[in-house]
Amino acid sequence: AFSSGNSVHVTDPTTNKIHKFTFPRQGRDRRLCLADFVKPEGENDFVAFHVVTMGSKVSTVANQLFKANDYRNYMELHGLSVALTEALAEYWHARVRKELAIDKQDSQSLTEILKQKYQGERFSFGYPACPELEHQTDLVELLSANRIGVEVSEELQLHPEQSTSAIIFHHQDAAYFNAQ
């Protein structure tokens, strides 16, 4: 990967196609942009991506519960599956940090981990620093997410519903910020 202006360019290792991810820049404060966390063209750098899912079966069962007016069990199953999806995303984020050997400074305190006191950050499309949901299409293509049953809808949402994706930056200053 390399950055150019407000964009991160990522080469698909299997097709050599270059995907361009453009991010907004803050109009105030530090004037941050996610592209700032990637080295410029001509220097070697990388970003990581992930897509995780609980799969379509949990969505099917949850929808059956809802249609049967079994709202309590629907809410419990839905809530559990969403929480498990987020836990799986955090697991993969931790694994990426470990594989990159940037986990050495991670706190051993769960409280500190939950406050994101570690190097590297994952950003999901649709959130303030990367609001463009259109990037989901490139991410799903890059990762061949259809292998695990994840697709992007016409509304640019991941399906099954209990799925999430992220772009992960390893830079020591990568942190959440609002680009508005």
Side-chain angles (χ1 to χ4, degrees):
F2 66 89
S3 67
S4 174
N6 291 355
S7 299
V8 173
H9 304 263
V10 178
T11 304
D12 183 331
T14 58
T15 65
N16 287 325
K17 177 181 176 182
I18 296 179
H19 296 270
K20 180 179 175 182
F21 298 89
T22 301
F23 304 103
R25 182 169 294 283
Q26 285 180 309
R28 56 178 167 58
D29 300 330
R30 294 174 48 201
R31 298 197 38 78
L32 291 174
C33 175
L34 292 181
D36 297 341
F37 302 135
V38 179
K39 293 178 183 176
E41 187 171 8
E43 296 184 46
N44 291 328
D45 207 353
F46 55 90
V47 294
F49 295 94
H50 75 219
V51 173
V52 300
T53 185
M54 288 295 106
S56 61
K57 188 165 186 164
V58 71
S59 293
T60 300
V61 172
N63 288 336
Q64 290 169 347
L65 291 168
F66 187 84
K67 287 178 185 175
N69 299 324
D70 190 354
Y71 300 120
R72 179 179 177 168
N73 285 324
Y74 161 78
M75 291 298 291
E76 289 178 0
L77 178 60
H78 185 272
L80 176 63
S81 63
V82 168
L84 288 172
T85 302
E86 183 60 24
L88 184 58
E90 191 55 38
Y91 168 80
W92 280 107
H93 182 205
R95 184 166 169 181
V96 166
R97 290 194 329 273
K98 182 175 182 161
E99 288 182 12
L100 296 176
I102 60 172
D103 65 332
K104 306 296 184 236
Q105 305 298 327
D106 287 5
S107 174
Q108 297 303 306
S109 160
L110 179 58
T111 302
E112 294 297 305
I113 290 290
L114 293 175
K115 291 179 183 177
Q116 298 171 312
K117 300 290 185 185
Y118 45 71
Q119 181 179 336
E121 196 60 75
R122 66 184 168 98
F123 297 86
S124 292
F125 297 113
Y127 285 89
C130 53
E132 300 301 325
L133 285 174
E134 291 82 9
H135 291 318
Q136 290 281 38
T137 304
D138 282 326
L139 187 149
V140 165
E141 180 184 332
L142 266 167
L143 297 180
S144 300
N146 60 335
R147 292 176 298 128
I148 60 169
V150 175
E151 298 175 348
V152 178
S153 72
E154 289 180 13
E155 299 83 21
L156 303 170
Q157 299 297 310
L158 294 177
H159 286 282
E161 179 184 0
Q162 292 81 1
S163 303
T164 191
S165 64
I167 180 171
I168 301 168
F169 296 88
H170 63 88
H171 194 280
Q172 65 271 9
D173 294 330
Y176 289 127
F177 61 90
N178 191 339
Q180 305 298 329

